[in-house]
Amino acid sequence: MAISTINLQPSTWEYGVFLSFRGEDSFKNFTGHLYSALCNASIRTFIDEEELRKGESLAPELTRAIQNSRVSMIVFSKNYASSRWCLDELLQILQCREKGKQLVYPIFYDVEPSEVRNQSGNYGIALAKHEERFGRSDKIQNWRDALTKVANISGWDLQGPMNGYESKLIDEIVQDVLRIVSPRIMPVAKHVVGLESRVDDVLQFNYGTNNNDVRMIGIYGMGGIGKSTLAKALYNKLLGYFERSYFLEISSEILETKKLQEELLSKLLNKRKIEVGSEGEGKMLIKYWLQAKKCLIVLDNLEHRNQFEALCGERDWFGKGSTLILTTRDAHVLKELNKGECYEAKTLVHEESLQLFRLHAFREPTLPKEDYAEVLDRILAYCEGLPLALEVLGSYLSGRSMEEWISAFEKLRKIPHNDVQAKLKISYEGLPDDHTKSLFLDLVCFYGEISEETFNAMGYFSTIEIRNLVDKCLISPWYYSMHSLIREMGREIIRSESPNKPGERSRLWCPSDIHDVLIQQKGTEKIEMIVLNSPMKNMEYKYNTKAFKDMKNLRFLQIDGIHLEGNFKHLPRNVLRFLRWNQCPLKYIPSAYSFERLVKLEMWESNIKEFGVPLKYFQCLEALDLGWCHYLTRTPDFSGAKNLRTLSFWGCSSLEKVHSSIGDLRMLVELDLSCCERLKKIPKKFWHWQLRSVEDPSSSVCYSSKIKELGENSGMLTSLRRLVLSGTNIHFLPYNTSHLLKPAKSISNLRSFFQNNHLKLIQQFPPNIEHISLRNCKNLKMLPQLPQNLLSLCAINCESLETVHLPKMLKIVNLTNCKKLKEIQGWENAQFLRIITLRGVPNIKFSENINQVGFKSFHVEFPY
């Protein structure tokens, strides 16, 4: 069934059935009755009554009839093999079958299948006589092979379950043929956009392999994205090529998998009722009845793994060439499928969204004369390419005036449409536990990306719970982004907790709601999160800390720019895990500012001059970020902060002193001191190695640290994984610094940045490092052998760099403006290289082995 052979296009068949038989054996009884029954069922059937069987080969009319029939039926009778014309018909029929253009069914009439398969009895005698006449030729062997192949195809045996009753067998044959030549087409939505290209994408991906494979096509994505529509289109396009087909729409109301097994078997086998005693028995029945049948099955809306396991758990349950199409909101359901068998349904692009909305709103693909453009753009942005939303809102706004459109859209921004919400909410309700649901409701309070540090600070088992949200298509694995309507659905769940009293809800994100709760001091113990994503109108208003005294369960607080006054003891110090207070107006942190459970503290661009509270009062603190606090002159006392892992003072231009207790931070993984212009030294206790820098007055670096010494051999920080020294004047990075950055075996995504400095020599990189950035290291002349696991190398503006050797796993290389670069070596190893940028590299030469790689498989930007 390769695409190149049949192109999977609907075909117009001249005949529904071609009957191949030996006239003198069966035409006056069984075959004649079968022919009449097929005709009475309006199935156009070709039968030649041996009028065309003359000469040495098949007549052209007979060959054309075989090639233009949807189904060929071979009635094997006692003397079938004695006719050379029958055997030639058989060869022609098999040729059509092997090209994927025809379904073939054997009917064993008054003969055992084994007699045909093994050419014994009458069939053996007939073939022997042919050999006497023609000799042991290839033709005779082809006849033998054809008989064996067809006898192994699932068909009908008169002496089997029918026990010799011809009328019952004929009725079953007619019903089965009707399903093939007159299949049940699934209705697809009246207005569809972009569907054909998506169908082609799926088919091109899945129909280029062996015809006999049992294929599974998994389609996953968020609710309302068009999974069922795509499955219906695929089903309609494919069903003409299968013996049995059924589209099973799985309802959330049917919880018993055995009920689904009963429906699937009853429809595929054309039985009124098949009873299944248990799920295990259902599995055995599916295998027993379907393993010899070529089936097309759609399982639409699989919700749980047990449904997958009960309905299609093993491929050998189905006949060769069978195809199963599975749709789900939960990608985890498809974990048994091969990577190439899973297709993620995509949202519509802008032009497709516009076309679909027009068809529903205006009943035509063009806009009316009235200018709807401005509000239409807002609606399209709101829907973000989700077909369900475009259809529902388009139909809802159809026939309404411009004023009604504007009013309806303003309402939607506050109260989402019920039809859209109900569809999207199914994925939320299908989450495995309340803990994961709580994480999802936390995430809908944010806009944009969310860092892993933030996840961890919330107190969840973030790795597995994030995986559950990704599998349910509620968030994207890329930067954990979220569709705006998914976010609206989650926020509506929170709003419905208390529609008219924000202080009674579990989470607050709306600036006006936050303002009302704080100014009127209406916070309650139900509030768990406050996330201020955008500035309030009353940013200069001062709120009293008493507003927080009843928020006894507040664990996440983000209040950028807010002015708080009063006793900080009113804040929930025993519960709060995350505090982000960027643009904090306080100049000094009061002594009452201490939190026993706080995991992350972020105070960017604040007015703080001195962080007076020792961090021993923050024993759970793992991340402290005081970036761009331009008035900060000294770091906090780190004593007792035994769990601190990341520490950033990026851009603290007035910072002059680092507390000596920094050397006690045995868990510290990341330290960022970029652009700390006044910092002259770091405590010697911090380092077990010494670096000396040489200042260059001609340096064009905007932020150049005045650090001249980074300590001596007196301490050790073996936990450090990421060191950022942007804007420094480091002259030499010796060999024995590498172990400071050497990651533990469990840490794979290590990044190291040595930027805007005077680095001249690196003797060794950590062996497991994956990403290296060496921007603006203008004195760096050479690199050591790069680690074999390195994925990306960025050496922009390294003007003195002369040679680079590529390691095996490297994918991305950027060598822009490496003006003295002369040679790139190791092309024979770079099997995974996809992007290399060489702008501003005028004299580059490649090693002879470059021809082993070629540039066809990846993008290259040359200097010319």
Side-chain angles (χ1 to χ4, degrees):
M1 194 182 286
I3 290 178
S4 59
T5 304
I6 65 172
N7 294 320
L8 292 172
Q9 297 296 325
S11 300
T12 302
W13 303 98
E14 186 176 354
Y15 299 100
V17 175
F18 177 90
L19 278 176
S20 177
F21 63 99
R22 184 76 163 100
E24 63 186 41
D25 282 359
S26 65
F27 182 68
K28 292 181 180 181
N29 39 58
F30 177 79
T31 304
H33 297 154
L34 175 60
Y35 174 70
S36 297
L38 290 168
C39 292
N40 290 336
S42 300
I43 300 172
R44 192 175 184 196
T45 306
F46 181 88
I47 190 169
D48 72 349
E49 303 182 41
E50 300 189 352
E51 292 178 3
L52 299 176
R53 299 180 186 180
K54 300 174 182 178
E56 293 299 319
S57 60
L58 293 181
E61 298 93 330
L62 198 60
T63 301
R64 184 179 60 80
I66 294 172
Q67 294 173 346
N68 289 281
S69 295
R70 181 68 193 94
V71 175
S72 280
M73 291 185 179
I74 303 106
V75 182
F76 287 120
S77 57
K78 288 184 177 180
N79 297 308
Y80 182 89
S82 64
S83 168
R84 59 182 303 269
W85 290 279
C86 285
L87 294 173
D88 282 343
E89 279 180 7
L90 187 63
L91 290 177
Q92 183 66 46
I93 288 168
L94 278 181
Q95 286 181 14
C96 291
R97 179 180 186 267
E98 289 169 359
K99 291 179 179 179
K101 290 186 175 182
Q102 196 171 92
L103 295 176
V104 176
Y105 295 99
I107 301 172
F108 301 99
Y109 173 75
D110 202 21
V111 67
E112 292 290 332
S114 61
E115 188 175 329
V116 180
R117 184 181 303 111
N118 302 321
Q119 294 97 60
S120 59
N122 286 351
Y123 279 71
I125 296 171
L127 268 297
K129 289 182 178 180
H130 288 313
E131 287 181 349
E132 289 178 3
R133 179 179 178 185
F134 299 106
R136 289 184 174 273
S137 63
D138 291 341
K139 191 176 191 67
I140 301 297
Q141 188 58 48
N142 290 339
W143 286 344
R144 288 185 180 276
D145 292 343
L147 288 167
T148 300
K149 286 182 181 179
V150 176
N152 285 321
I153 297 173
S154 176
W156 294 276
D157 184 0
L158 182 60
Q159 300 305 321
M162 299 304 168
N163 199 25
Y165 286 95
E166 293 186 9
S167 59
K168 290 184 178 180
L169 180 60
I170 288 172
D171 286 343
E172 181 174 325
I173 292 172
V174 171
Q175 291 303 316
D176 282 346
V177 173
L178 276 173
R179 280 198 296 268
I180 297 169
V181 299
S182 302
R184 175 176 173 249
I185 303 293
M186 291 301 297
V188 181
K190 180 180 179 181
H191 300 303
V192 292
V193 175
L195 183 59
E196 185 175 351
S197 63
R198 287 162 173 79
V199 169
D200 290 341
D201 287 345
V202 175
L203 295 180
Q204 290 289 341
F205 217 51
N206 287 276
Y207 275 85
T209 56
N210 193 324
N211 180 39
N212 290 326
D213 290 344
V214 175
R215 295 180 179 84
M216 290 189 180
I217 302 173
I219 303 171
Y220 67 96
M222 62 185 289
I225 204 168
K227 302 182 297 295
S228 296
T229 301
L230 177 56
K232 289 176 181 178
L234 286 165
Y235 178 82
N236 292 343
K237 197 160 191 176
L238 293 172
L239 56 82
Y241 299 95
F242 295 85
E243 301 173 32
R244 307 291 173 101
S245 59
Y246 186 57
F247 193 108
L248 177 59
E249 298 179 84
I250 300 174
S251 170
S252 299
E253 299 173 358
I254 302 177
L255 300 178
E256 288 188 277
T257 53
K258 68 177 186 177
K259 297 294 184 185
L260 298 173
Q261 292 171 330
E262 288 174 350
E263 180 180 350
L264 183 65
L265 285 168
S266 297
K267 297 297 183 180
L268 285 172
L269 300 175
N270 197 32
K271 306 289 185 182
R272 288 187 178 181
K273 180 66 175 176
I274 292 181
E275 293 187 359
V276 174
S278 65
E279 182 180 308
E281 180 185 349
K283 293 178 181 179
M284 290 188 293
L285 289 174
I286 290 174
K287 183 175 182 179
Y288 176 79
W289 286 107
L290 301 181
Q291 65 179 343
K293 293 178 173 60
K294 183 179 179 182
C295 301
L296 172 64
I297 300 171
V298 175
L299 303 176
D300 186 34
N301 195 30
L302 284 167
E303 294 186 3
H304 308 289
R305 280 288 307 167
N306 66 322
Q307 292 176 338
F308 174 90
E309 292 166 357
L311 297 170
C312 58
E314 300 293 339
R315 297 183 191 237
D316 64 0
W317 293 0
F318 308 96
K320 294 181 179 179
S322 293
T323 292
L324 289 87
I325 300 171
L326 321 171
T327 75
T328 181
R329 294 182 182 88
D330 188 346
H332 187 65
V333 171
L334 308 175
K335 70 174 186 177
E336 301 297 332
L337 274 61
N338 299 322
K339 184 177 180 180
E341 293 177 322
C342 295
Y343 178 85
E344 182 179 6
K346 305 291 186 183
T347 54
L348 302 179
V349 299
H350 182 269
E351 288 301 320
E352 293 173 332
S353 298
L354 180 60
Q355 185 180 352
L356 182 61
F357 185 83
R358 285 171 176 171
L359 288 169
H360 285 274
F362 307 114
R363 308 302 177 189
E364 56 185 17
T366 57
L367 287 172
K369 293 182 180 179
E370 189 176 359
D371 186 12
Y372 284 79
E374 182 177 350
V375 66
L376 183 56
D377 286 342
R378 295 168 66 192
I379 291 174
L380 294 183
Y382 173 79
C383 294
E384 280 191 23
L386 187 68
L388 171 68
L390 294 163
E391 294 168 8
V392 169
L393 299 186
S395 299
Y396 175 68
L397 296 173
S398 178
R400 301 182 187 272
S401 66
M402 172 67 74
E403 290 74 16
E404 289 175 310
W405 273 48
I406 295 173
S407 175
F409 182 66
E410 291 302 319
K411 179 182 177 181
L412 284 173
R413 295 177 62 184
K414 295 183 178 180
I415 306 175
H417 197 285
N418 284 338
D419 291 347
V420 178
Q421 289 288 295
K423 190 82 170 180
L424 297 177
K425 195 175 178 182
I426 294 172
S427 296
Y428 167 78
E429 292 172 341
L431 290 172
D433 51 61
D434 291 340
H435 215 250
T436 308
K437 289 179 179 179
S438 179
L439 173 58
F440 171 73
L441 295 181
D442 283 358
L443 299 185
V444 303
C445 298
F446 298 92
Y447 287 110
E449 302 173 11
I450 305 170
S451 69
E452 289 190 15
E453 281 184 359
T454 301
F455 274 121
N456 295 331
M458 290 178 181
Y460 295 95
F461 303 98
S462 56
T463 301
I464 184 61
E465 288 169 343
I466 290 170
R467 183 71 257 172
N468 286 331
L469 295 178
V470 170
D471 286 342
K472 286 291 185 182
C473 303
L474 290 170
I475 64 173
S476 167
W478 306 109
Y479 307 110
Y480 309 124
S481 58
M482 183 183 297
H483 193 282
S484 62
L485 293 178
I486 293 282
R487 183 180 293 108
E488 289 294 329
M489 176 269 292
R491 290 183 172 184
E492 183 60 18
I493 292 172
I494 299 169
R495 193 189 72 83
S496 64
E497 295 172 353
S498 179
N500 300 316
K501 296 180 179 180
E504 298 287 335
R505 301 172 192 163
S506 60
R507 297 157 178 87
L508 299 176
W509 63 88
C510 176
S512 59
D513 288 342
I514 295 172
H515 173 73
D516 291 343
V517 169
L518 295 183
I519 197 65
Q520 299 178 39
Q521 298 185 15
K522 289 186 176 181
T524 69
E525 62 182 12
K526 293 183 179 179
I527 298 177
E528 298 178 28
M529 291 186 70
I530 294 178
V531 182
L532 185 63
N533 288 299
S534 57
M536 296 192 198
K537 295 179 181 179
N538 302 313
M539 287 296 292
E540 298 301 321
Y541 198 94
K542 294 184 179 180
Y543 300 93
N544 196 292
T545 55
K546 289 183 180 180
F548 295 93
K549 67 183 178 64
D550 292 326
M551 301 183 195
K552 301 183 184 301
N553 294 308
L554 184 66
R555 53 187 169 78
F556 193 103
L557 182 59
Q558 178 177 316
I559 48 172
D560 295 353
I562 292 291
H563 288 250
L564 287 181
E565 59 182 12
N567 194 330
F568 277 77
K569 290 183 178 181
H570 291 305
L571 293 177
R573 296 179 296 159
N574 297 329
V575 178
L576 197 64
R577 294 179 58 88
F578 181 101
L579 175 58
R580 176 176 140 180
W581 195 359
N582 293 339
Q583 298 92 44
C584 173
L586 299 179
K587 294 182 179 179
Y588 298 94
I589 301 299
S591 58
Y593 191 91
S594 60
F595 299 89
E596 298 175 5
R597 301 288 299 279
L598 199 67
V599 175
K600 182 174 181 179
L601 175 61
E602 179 181 324
M603 302 182 77
W604 266 53
E605 299 178 326
S606 297
N607 291 335
I608 300 171
K609 287 186 176 180
E610 186 173 339
F611 197 101
V613 183
L615 291 186
K616 65 181 180 180
Y617 297 113
F618 297 76
Q619 292 189 8
C620 293
L621 194 66
E622 295 181 6
L624 176 63
D625 192 342
L626 298 176
W628 298 101
C629 292
H630 293 295
Y631 303 105
L632 186 68
T633 58
R634 61 180 62 196
T635 71
D637 181 350
F638 302 106
S639 302
K642 57 184 178 180
N643 292 307
L644 199 60
R645 297 175 61 84
T646 64
L647 189 56
S648 176
F649 297 96
W650 180 304
C652 293
S653 54
S654 298
L655 187 67
E656 297 179 352
K657 184 177 181 181
V658 176
H659 198 279
S660 61
S661 58
I662 194 172
D664 298 326
L665 300 179
R666 302 302 182 186
M667 299 293 290
L668 193 65
V669 173
E670 179 178 332
L671 174 63
D672 193 338
L673 294 168
S674 301
C675 307
C676 295
E677 299 179 20
R678 294 188 181 181
L679 187 62
K680 295 184 177 180
K681 69 176 183 177
I682 296 176
K684 296 180 179 181
K685 187 178 179 181
F686 181 77
W687 307 97
H688 82 294
W689 46 276
Q690 181 179 11
L691 295 177
R692 299 186 182 279
S693 65
V694 177
E695 292 189 48
D696 183 358
S698 65
S699 173
S700 61
V701 178
C702 297
Y703 298 99
S704 178
S705 172
K706 305 303 181 182
I707 297 175
K708 293 184 178 181
E709 290 193 9
L710 294 181
E712 296 177 353
N713 298 339
S714 57
M716 185 174 293
L717 268 181
T718 57
S719 63
L720 198 63
R721 300 289 179 266
R722 183 174 184 264
L723 173 65
V724 184
L725 296 172
S726 301
T728 67
N729 287 315
I730 296 174
H731 179 71
F732 175 62
L733 185 63
Y735 167 82
N736 63 352
T737 65
S738 62
H739 78 278
L740 277 172
L741 299 172
K742 183 177 180 180
K745 294 182 179 178
S746 61
I747 300 177
S748 60
N749 192 22
L750 175 68
R751 293 179 180 272
S752 129
F753 297 81
F754 300 99
Q755 302 178 12
N756 300 330
N757 57 50
H758 286 204
L759 195 65
K760 287 187 176 182
L761 178 64
I762 300 175
Q763 291 189 359
Q764 180 178 322
F765 282 110
N768 294 325
I769 196 168
E770 292 188 354
H771 305 275
I772 294 176
S773 178
L774 297 165
R775 294 172 182 264
N776 303 314
C777 296
K778 298 185 177 182
N779 293 331
L780 184 66
K781 292 185 177 182
M782 63 175 293
L783 294 175
Q785 183 174 352
L786 296 173
Q788 287 301 303
N789 291 327
L790 190 69
L791 300 178
S792 69
L793 171 65
C794 177
I796 296 175
N797 295 330
C798 294
E799 297 177 355
S800 300
L801 190 63
E802 297 179 356
T803 303
V804 172
H805 190 282
L806 305 180
K808 180 179 180 180
M809 303 302 294
L810 199 62
K811 293 183 178 180
I812 300 173
V813 181
N814 192 336
L815 300 171
T816 298
N817 291 332
C818 293
K819 298 178 181 179
K820 294 185 178 179
L821 187 65
K822 298 178 180 178
E823 186 176 11
I824 298 179
Q825 301 173 345
W827 290 101
E828 66 277 11
N829 296 324
Q831 302 175 18
F832 303 99
L833 191 61
R834 291 294 174 266
I835 300 175
I836 180 167
T837 304
L838 298 170
R839 293 191 302 270
V841 185
N843 301 314
I844 186 65
K845 295 180 180 179
F846 298 99
S847 64
E848 297 178 357
N849 293 318
I850 189 173
N851 293 327
Q852 297 181 23
V853 180
F855 288 114
K856 294 182 179 179
S857 61
F858 54 86
H859 173 67
V860 182
E861 291 190 26
F862 281 108
Y864 38 82

